[in-house]
Amino acid sequence: MGKSLSSYMQKGKLTLPLIRLVGALPKARRESTYAWISQNFNHENRGNVLELLTEHDAVEYSINKARSFAQEAKEELSILPDSQHKTALMDLADYVVSRNR
């Protein structure tokens, strides 16, 4: 939710937290909120955007979604025989979910 959100927003790309936020808003506010965020996102109002994302549980939703995908990936790996490569992939699934927390 830090640097990567900033760089994606500055390029006008949607991230899962933003998709969740826009989807959680009443239909009448979706377009205007997305337009405001994408047109006004900068270092000064980054806190306001993060507050809005937190208020609508978009951050927590995204983290939980990432955890779920990581768990699914590890379950798929369970059919492989134990090896250092399998362990590395399982560790990688855990790492990508926990790296910025």
Side-chain angles (χ1 to χ4, degrees):
M1 292 307 312
K3 186 176 181 181
S4 61
L5 176 62
S6 299
S7 62
Y8 282 117
M9 284 304 305
Q10 289 169 348
K11 294 175 185 174
K13 295 183 179 182
L14 283 174
T15 61
L16 184 56
L18 292 170
I19 293 167
R20 176 66 176 188
L21 168 64
V22 171
L25 293 172
K27 194 171 185 174
R29 289 187 53 206
R30 288 178 186 168
E31 192 172 320
S32 63
T33 301
Y34 176 70
W36 178 83
I37 291 171
S38 58
Q39 293 170 3
N40 298 297
F41 190 84
N42 56 41
H43 186 69
E44 289 79 37
N45 72 7
R46 181 174 167 258
N48 294 335
V49 173
L50 291 175
E51 186 177 305
L52 192 60
L53 290 167
T54 302
E55 177 185 328
H56 291 278
D57 294 321
V59 174
E60 195 61 34
Y61 170 84
S62 299
I63 291 168
N64 288 334
K65 199 65 152 168
R67 285 184 184 133
S68 175
F69 284 136
Q71 184 60 39
E72 286 179 39
K74 289 167 53 176
E75 288 169 10
E76 293 294 327
L77 290 170
S78 69
I79 64 167
L80 298 175
D82 289 341
S83 70
Q84 67 184 26
H85 305 293
K86 176 182 173 180
T87 300
L89 289 171
M90 304 237 342
D91 289 346
L92 180 61
D94 291 330
Y95 171 76
V96 297
V97 174
S98 65
R99 64 188 166 133
N100 285 326
R101 301 258 318 146

